[in-house]
């Protein structure tokens, strides 16, 4: 008599086990993050020197008698040109860091040679990507907090609005910014070397989203394109919340598109991940680098 | 028994080695054509916000405030020229250190070091192909950016070009010293990124240094690059300069000799130290 035994996995995946796996990835990422304290230097230096180059150029454009600054105030409605530039450049840095950190998270794991073995464990695979996002959001909040502190103390940039409203705009932007990061991470795993894509996306934000100027100065077709980029609304909303004391009602024209883009990018990010996962298993691309 | 080396180094062999290094880098660069596209587009992307920001500070297309500092309201020509010079500075100043780091990571530094070629020459060789590719990509960038934003040189191009030569040669000295730091520290990316940003910013790559806050001006005046940017712009764009043009050119020539000597001295001292420690092959 012949008996056949179907192989049984020891893993019993369920919601709780997925949650535990997510927690484990989160903890691992947090440990790696804390093991290399050199990021502390970057955390204090970059928020200051990157906007600085635009601020110093703005200072030169103002002229010794401030005549240029008067024109800038009339055009932008901003009384504090340093704060105006800092918000734009900080949003650009946020998007840039997310692309490098979240976008390359799976790729880095692939380079370390651990992606394939992790992929074999009976866990929810998206948790690998989500786990990277947690410490990233915390470090980004620290980054933005330090930027505000440094420019407040050293350059006297003062908020003329509510911190809660600024946080609300940032919160509304998180799904769109990180959704793009998820989609990007899947693309990176597929094409391997994707530095040029980072340069392209951050370049679009730099040119179209008005990091140092109001987008009304752009030609019509560029303004229409800018409306399709979530950082445009984030920069506009944060400036309004920080310097024009805008409330929820005034911020709705920025909050609604941000929320819609958030939903869109989360769906796109998750779909891209599923597509990549299926393709990678079929072609065996997970272990290749 | 006396051992004799098979190599017979002379000027001809050293020049051949220099050519071979440059040819190898030239081939590697063009194997990744996206890099060339990126080198052309990146500077344009970075200065686009400045172009629109400048519009927000201008009346009828004239940046009157800017003209009070620089002597020209044409801020885009001012910035574009600064961007082109910055590309060359990046190539010479940081290029040698980066090339050493690359060789370390690929594990070929130690074997290259064993060849009977002057080590300073190896470093110089690593910049030759980059200088050529930087010239090509910068010229294309200038044509595109000129068409988009406008570039109007009104002065003496030859004088500007000749002024840039002692500045670049002096930068080789800086480059040797920086390569020594890379040999010693082995990982200097953050140092490079931050110092490159600061040096270029404070020497006036994007704005006249006269507009800096008063406490930053002395630091800026201590950087030889400040006079390089200023003199080249003075010749090519007829901007107002910090010192008379002849004085700035004389300063650049003195700086060239001092830096070349000092950089080579630091490099040889450190190179001897890492050979003694045996850390050359580590990364």
């Amino acid at each position: 008599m012949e008996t056949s035994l179907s192989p049984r996995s020891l893993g019993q995946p369920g919601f709780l086990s997925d949650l535990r796996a997510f927690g484990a990835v989160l903890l691992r990422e947090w440990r790696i993050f804390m093991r290399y304290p050199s990021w502390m230097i970057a955390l204090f230096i970059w928020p200051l020197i990157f906007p600085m180059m635009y601020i110093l150029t703005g200072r030169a454009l103002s002229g010794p008698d401030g005549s240029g600054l008067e024109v800038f105030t009339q055009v932008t409605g901003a009384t504090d040109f340093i704060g105006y530039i800092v918000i734009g450049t900080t949003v650009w840095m946020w998007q840039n860091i997310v692309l490098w950190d979240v976008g390359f998270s799976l790729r880095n794991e692939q380079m370390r040679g651990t992606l394939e073995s992790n992929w074999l464990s009976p866990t929810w695979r998206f948790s690998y990507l989500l786990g990277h996002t947690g410490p990233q959001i915390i470090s980004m909040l620290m980054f933005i907090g330090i930027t505000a502190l440094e420019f407040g103390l050293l350059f006297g940039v003062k908020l003329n609005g509510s911190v809660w409203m600024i946080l609300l705009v940032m919160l509304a932007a998180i799904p769109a910014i990180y959704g793009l990061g998820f989609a990007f991470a899947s693309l990176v795993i597929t094409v391997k070397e994707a530095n040029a894509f980072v340069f392209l996306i951050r370049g679009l934000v730099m040119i179209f989203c008005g990091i140092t100027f109001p987008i009304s100065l752009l030609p019509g077709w560029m303004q229409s394109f800018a409306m399709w980029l979530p950082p445009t609304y984030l920069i506009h909303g944060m400036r309004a919340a920080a310097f024009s004391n805008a409330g929820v009602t005034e911020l709705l024209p920025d909050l609604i598109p941000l929320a819609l883009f958030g939903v869109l990018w989360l769906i796109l990010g998750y779909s891209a991940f599923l597509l990549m996962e299926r393709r990678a298993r079929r072609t065996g691309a997970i272990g290749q680098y | 028994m006396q051992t004799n080396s098979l190599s017979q180094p002379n000027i001809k062999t050293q020049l051949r080695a220099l050519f071979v290094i440059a040819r190898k880098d030239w081939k590697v660069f063009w194997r990744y054509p996206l890099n060339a596209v990126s080198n052309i587009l990146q500077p344009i992307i970075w200065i686009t916000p400045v172009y629109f920001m400048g519009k927000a500070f201008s009346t009828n297309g004239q940046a009157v405030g800017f003209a009070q500092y620089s002597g020209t309201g044409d801020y885009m020509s001012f910035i574009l020229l600064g961007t082109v010079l910055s590309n060359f500075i990046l190539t010479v100043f940081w290029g040698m250190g980066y090339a050493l780091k690359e060789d370390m990571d690929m594990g070929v530094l130690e074997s290259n070091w064993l060849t009977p070629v002057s080590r300073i020459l190896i470093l110089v060789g690593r910049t030759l192909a980059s200088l050529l590719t930087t010239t090509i990509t910068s010229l294309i960038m200038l044509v595109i950016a000129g068409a988009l934003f406008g570039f109007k040189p009104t002065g003496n191009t030859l004088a500007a070009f000749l002024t840039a030569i002692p500045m670049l040669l002096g930068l080789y000295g800086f480059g040797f010293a920086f390569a020594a730091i890379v040999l010693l520290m082995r990982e200097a990316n953050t140092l490079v990124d931050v110092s490159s940003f600061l040096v270029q910013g404070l020497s006036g790559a994007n704005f006249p240094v006269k507009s800096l806050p008063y406490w930053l001006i002395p630091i800026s005046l201590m950087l030889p690059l400040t006079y390089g940017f200023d003199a080249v712009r003075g010749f090519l764009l007829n901007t107002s300069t910090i010192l008379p043009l002849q004085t700035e050119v004389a300063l650049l020539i003195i700086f060239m000799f001092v830096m070349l000597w000092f950089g080579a001295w630091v490099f040889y001292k450190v190179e001897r130290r890492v050979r003694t420690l045996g850390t050359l092959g580590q990364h």
Side-chain angles (χ1 to χ4, degrees):
Chain A
M1 201 179 90
E2 207 176 277
T3 55
S4 68
L5 281 171
S6 57
R8 282 192 61 192
S9 166
L10 285 172
Q12 291 176 329
F15 177 69
L16 271 177
S17 67
D18 285 343
L19 211 61
R20 235 179 3 251
F22 170 68
V25 177
L26 204 69
L27 189 68
R28 183 199 62 182
E29 286 309 313
W30 181 252
R31 280 190 179 152
I32 293 175
F33 179 61
M34 296 305 284
R35 279 286 186 283
Y36 297 95
S38 63
W39 57 265
M40 286 289 282
I41 304 167
L43 199 65
F44 283 93
I45 290 178
W46 280 117
L48 203 59
I49 63 171
F50 179 68
M52 203 60 161
M53 293 304 122
Y54 288 111
I55 290 168
L56 291 176
T57 308
R59 217 181 125 92
L61 287 161
S62 300
D65 59 355
S67 53
L69 190 59
E70 280 171 28
V71 181
F72 182 82
T73 308
Q74 282 165 19
V75 173
T76 59
T79 45
D80 186 339
F81 95 94
I82 296 180
Y84 188 89
I85 290 171
V86 169
I87 285 186
T89 49
T90 304
V91 168
W92 181 85
M93 285 193 280
W94 186 7
Q95 184 71 76
N96 182 42
I97 296 172
V98 167
L99 287 175
W100 286 114
D101 278 6
V102 178
F104 277 75
S105 57
L106 293 179
R107 174 73 180 147
N108 290 338
E109 198 145 334
Q110 196 176 37
M111 296 296 278
R112 285 198 296 254
T114 50
L115 187 63
E116 206 173 14
S117 46
N118 285 345
W119 228 244
L120 292 171
S121 62
T123 46
W124 182 42
R125 282 161 196 149
F126 196 63
S127 62
Y128 300 130
L129 207 47
L130 275 186
H132 280 277
T133 311
Q136 214 288 324
I137 291 179
I138 293 171
S139 76
M140 233 23 257
L141 282 175
M142 284 161 72
F143 187 89
I144 292 168
I146 287 168
T147 307
L149 201 68
E150 284 180 341
F151 279 93
L153 290 176
L154 298 174
F155 292 89
V157 173
K158 282 195 188 82
L159 280 183
N160 185 26
S162 155
V163 177
W164 296 111
M165 287 300 116
I166 299 172
L167 286 174
L168 179 69
V169 180
M170 284 168 58
L171 197 68
I174 284 177
I177 287 183
Y178 287 87
L180 175 65
F182 296 153
F184 195 69
S186 308
L187 177 80
V188 174
I189 282 290
T190 311
V191 300
K192 317 286 187 222
E193 289 303 319
N195 296 14
F197 289 100
V198 177
F199 295 146
L200 175 76
I201 294 172
R202 71 180 198 181
L204 291 179
V205 175
M206 194 167 249
I207 292 172
F208 291 94
C209 298
I211 65 168
T212 58
F213 54 88
I215 59 163
S216 57
L217 284 175
L218 292 171
W221 69 270
M222 288 177 83
Q223 287 186 39
S224 310
F225 186 78
M227 294 297 140
W228 289 94
L229 300 170
T232 305
Y233 301 97
L234 175 57
I235 292 172
H236 185 264
M238 277 179 78
R239 279 176 185 153
F243 302 118
S244 305
N245 203 14
V248 178
T249 322
E250 289 92 345
L251 289 174
L252 277 179
D254 294 312
L255 291 174
I256 293 169
L258 279 175
L260 292 175
F261 275 117
V263 174
L264 176 78
W265 274 109
L266 279 182
I267 294 170
L268 282 176
Y270 191 62
S271 309
F273 181 84
L274 293 180
L275 267 174
M276 176 278 293
E277 196 215 350
R278 197 175 152 75
R279 186 186 168 277
R281 270 193 295 160
R282 267 214 318 266
T283 58
I286 285 283
Q288 295 167 1
Y289 56 91
Chain B
M1 201 180 92
Q2 214 179 355
T3 51
N4 275 323
S5 167
L6 284 174
S7 66
Q8 294 173 328
N10 55 38
I11 293 182
K12 225 172 135 185
T13 58
Q14 300 286 332
L15 285 176
R16 214 165 39 233
L18 204 65
F19 175 71
V20 169
I21 295 168
R23 195 178 57 181
K24 184 255 305 171
D25 285 341
W26 174 262
K27 276 186 178 172
V28 171
F29 182 83
W30 293 108
R31 280 286 184 282
Y32 302 93
L34 260 185
N35 282 345
V37 178
S38 176
N39 285 359
I40 293 166
L41 294 183
Q42 282 295 315
I44 297 176
I45 289 171
W46 282 80
I47 55 178
T48 303
V50 180
Y51 170 72
F52 287 110
M53 185 168 82
K55 281 188 154 200
F57 281 91
S58 304
T59 319
N60 299 325
Q62 279 301 308
V64 184
F66 189 82
Q68 291 172 39
Y69 280 123
S70 65
T72 173
D74 180 10
Y75 66 96
M76 276 320 282
S77 294
F78 188 97
I79 290 167
L80 277 172
L81 188 57
T83 307
V84 170
L85 287 174
S86 300
N87 286 348
F88 284 97
I89 290 166
L90 279 172
T91 303
V92 177
F93 199 153
W94 314 113
M96 289 185 273
Y98 268 133
L100 274 189
K101 177 79 183 119
E102 211 175 87
D103 285 354
M104 267 182 203
D105 290 343
M106 287 196 294
V108 295
L109 183 66
E110 220 168 2
S111 47
N112 286 349
W113 236 237
L114 291 173
T115 57
V117 181
S118 155
R119 272 128 211 179
I120 285 278
L121 218 57
I122 295 181
L123 292 182
V124 174
R126 294 304 301 270
T127 61
L128 292 183
S130 332
L131 275 179
L132 193 57
T133 52
T134 304
T135 308
I136 296 169
T137 53
S138 294
L139 281 175
I140 300 173
M141 187 278 286
L142 207 55
V143 170
I144 298 174
L148 289 172
F149 311 125
F151 178 65
K152 302 174 202 83
T154 48
N156 187 339
T157 311
L158 181 69
F161 176 74
L162 292 175
T163 308
I165 291 175
M167 178 173 82
L168 281 179
L169 287 176
L171 282 170
Y172 268 98
F174 262 125
F176 297 149
F178 175 67
I181 294 175
V182 173
L183 276 183
L184 212 58
M185 291 175 63
R186 296 192 282 275
E187 177 59 66
N189 282 3
T190 308
L191 183 80
V192 173
D193 286 346
V194 171
S195 46
S196 135
F197 223 82
L198 285 177
V199 168
Q200 282 188 56
L202 293 178
S203 53
N206 291 325
F207 45 81
V209 293
K210 288 176 204 161
S211 68
L212 282 170
Y214 68 91
W215 53 276
L216 278 176
I217 290 179
I219 303 172
S220 169
L221 294 180
M222 278 190 277
L223 297 170
L225 275 179
T226 303
Y227 304 103
F229 277 118
D230 202 44
V232 173
R233 281 182 180 128
F235 279 120
L236 199 62
L237 304 175
N238 294 318
T239 52
S240 54
T241 52
I242 307 165
L243 299 173
L245 276 169
Q246 288 84 344
T247 315
E248 291 193 337
V249 172
L251 276 175
L252 286 172
I253 293 171
I254 296 170
F255 151 74
M256 174 184 79
F257 285 115
V258 173
M259 273 322 296
L260 279 174
W261 167 79
F262 179 72
W265 179 77
V266 171
F267 178 77
Y268 277 123
K269 279 270 173 204
V270 173
E271 194 252 341
R272 194 177 155 76
R273 170 104 183 123
V274 291
R275 271 197 293 156
T276 314
L277 292 172
T279 54
L280 197 64
Q282 294 172 3
H283 60 93

